[in-house]
C-alpha cells in the first residue's frame, strides 16, 4: 500500500503547507487563514485529516466546508465567535501552565488573555517565553496576586476582575478589531466554579451577549 505523508513545514508526497496554503500533492485545498482551528498542533491534525479524506474520495468542497466550520472540542481552544473583527476562544480546559502555553502559542495577533483560578502553589514562570503578543491580561480568582505580579514583571497591562463574566465585560474597553480574546486560565476552576466546563459556559454566555 502507498504511504502518504503530511508536513507543516516542507513539501512532501501528500498533504503539506506552502506559503500559508494547504496542498494535497500539488492540488490547492485551502488557505490556512480560512481554517477555524488555530495552532500548529491542530494544523498537523488537519493535514492528516485532509490526506485521509482525499484518499477516501471526498471532494474539496466538503473538506473546505468542514475546515471552515469545525470549532474543535468544547472548552479546548474552542472558537466561540467573531464580533466586530474580534475572535473569542474558550480554552477553559487549560488548567495548568503547559496547556496555556500551547494556547498562547496558537496566536500571533495581539491577544487579550483571561487567566486565573485555584491557587495550587505553583508559579507561572513557564509562560515567560509565550507572552510577547499578549496585549492585556484580565485576572481573576485565588491566583490574582501571583498573576498581577507576573503581568507587572513582564510590563503587560492588566485588569483585576471578579470572575470570567466580569473579565469578558472588561475586555470591551481595550480590545480592537483584528485582535483575539482568549480564556486560558492556567489554573483549575474550583475556587469559583464547580468544573472547568461551567467556567467555559460562563465565558461563552457572556461573549454571546456582546
Amino acid at each position: 500500500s502507498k504511504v502518504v505523508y503530511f508536513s507543516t513545514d516542507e513539501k512532501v508526497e501528500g498533504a503539506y503547507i506552502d506559503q500559508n496554503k494547504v496542498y494535497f500533492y500539488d492540488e490547492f485545498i485551502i488557505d490556512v487563514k480560512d481554517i477555524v482551528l488555530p495552532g500548529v498542533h491542530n494544523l498537523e491534525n488537519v493535514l492528516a485529516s485532509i490526506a485521509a479524506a482525499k484518499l477516501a474520495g471526498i471532494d474539496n468542497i466538503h473538506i473546505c466546508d468542514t475546515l471552515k466550520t469545525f470549532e474543535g472540542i468544547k472548552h479546548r481552544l474552542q472558537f466561540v465567535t467573531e464580533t466586530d473583527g474580534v475572535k473569542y476562544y474558550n480554552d477553559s480546559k487549560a488548567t495548568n501552565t503547559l496547556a496555556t502555553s500551547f494556547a498562547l502559542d496558537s496566536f500571533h495577533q495581539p491577544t487579550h488573555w483571561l487567566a486565573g483560578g485555584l491557587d495550587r502553589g505553583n508559579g507561572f514562570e513557564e509562560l515567560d517565553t509565550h507572552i510577547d503578543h499578549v496585549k492585556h491580561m484580565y485576572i481573576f480568582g485565588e491566583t490574582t496576586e501571583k498573576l498581577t505580579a507576573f503581568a507587572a514583571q513582564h510590563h503587560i497591562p492588566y485588569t483585576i476582575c471578579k470572575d470570567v463574566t466580569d473579565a469578558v465585560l472588561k475586555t470591551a474597553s481595550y480590545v480592537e478589531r483584528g485582535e483575539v480574546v482568549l480564556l486560558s486560565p492556567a489554573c483549575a476552576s474550583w475556587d469559583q466554579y464547580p468544573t472547568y466546563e461551567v467556567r467555559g459556559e460562563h465565558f461563552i454566555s457572556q461573549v454571546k451577549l456582546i
Side-chain angles (χ1 to χ4, degrees):
S1 61
K2 184 179 180 182
V3 176
V4 176
Y5 300 93
F6 65 89
S7 173
T8 58
D9 50 27
E10 62 179 323
K11 186 173 180 178
V12 294
E13 294 291 305
Y16 61 91
I17 295 170
D18 184 34
Q19 310 263 318
N20 288 314
K21 296 180 186 299
V22 178
Y23 295 88
F24 185 69
Y25 288 88
D26 291 324
E27 180 187 6
F28 169 72
I29 305 295
I30 191 171
D31 282 306
V32 169
K33 67 178 174 57
D34 292 330
I35 298 169
V36 169
L37 280 180
V40 172
H41 59 298
N42 280 323
L43 280 178
E44 291 173 350
N45 294 333
V46 164
L47 293 176
S49 299
I50 288 171
K54 292 294 286 182
L55 293 172
I58 297 171
D59 64 59
N60 290 355
I61 291 173
H62 287 101
I63 292 171
C64 290
D65 282 349
T66 299
L67 295 174
K68 288 176 180 178
T69 56
F70 178 63
E71 298 170 357
I73 300 165
K74 204 163 193 186
H75 310 297
R76 187 173 177 183
L77 210 53
Q78 171 199 3
F79 174 68
V80 178
T81 193
E82 181 173 351
T83 304
D84 296 331
V86 178
K87 292 182 177 178
Y88 294 81
Y89 290 87
N90 165 31
D91 193 41
S92 186
K93 194 173 182 181
T95 58
N96 56 56
T97 53
L98 179 61
T100 292
S101 72
F102 284 123
L104 290 169
D105 286 351
S106 296
F107 302 100
H108 302 290
Q109 310 97 305
T111 297
H112 296 256
W113 174 28
L114 283 59
L118 186 74
D119 189 352
R120 286 172 161 160
N122 59 290
F124 296 92
E125 304 80 20
E126 260 186 73
L127 297 172
D128 286 354
T129 57
H130 303 274
I131 53 173
D132 288 350
H133 59 307
V134 173
K135 181 177 177 181
H136 201 109
M137 287 178 64
Y138 306 81
I139 298 166
F140 49 85
E142 278 185 8
T143 50
T144 292
E145 195 174 323
K146 285 183 178 177
L147 281 166
T148 53
F150 176 86
Q153 178 191 349
H154 294 283
H155 309 291
I156 300 170
Y158 64 86
T159 301
I160 295 173
C161 309
K162 288 185 300 218
D163 53 22
V164 166
T165 302
D166 186 43
V168 174
L169 288 169
K170 294 227 163 62
T171 63
S173 301
Y174 304 99
V175 72
E176 297 176 28
R177 181 175 290 275
E179 297 180 344
V180 163
V181 172
L182 169 68
L183 170 66
S184 189
C187 302
S189 62
W190 307 317
D191 58 332
Q192 293 183 309
Y193 301 95
T195 64
Y196 72 78
E197 291 98 336
V198 172
R199 178 171 63 186
E201 293 298 341
H202 278 241
F203 176 78
I204 292 168
S205 297
Q206 190 57 50
V207 166
K208 291 194 170 171
L209 292 175
I210 291 171

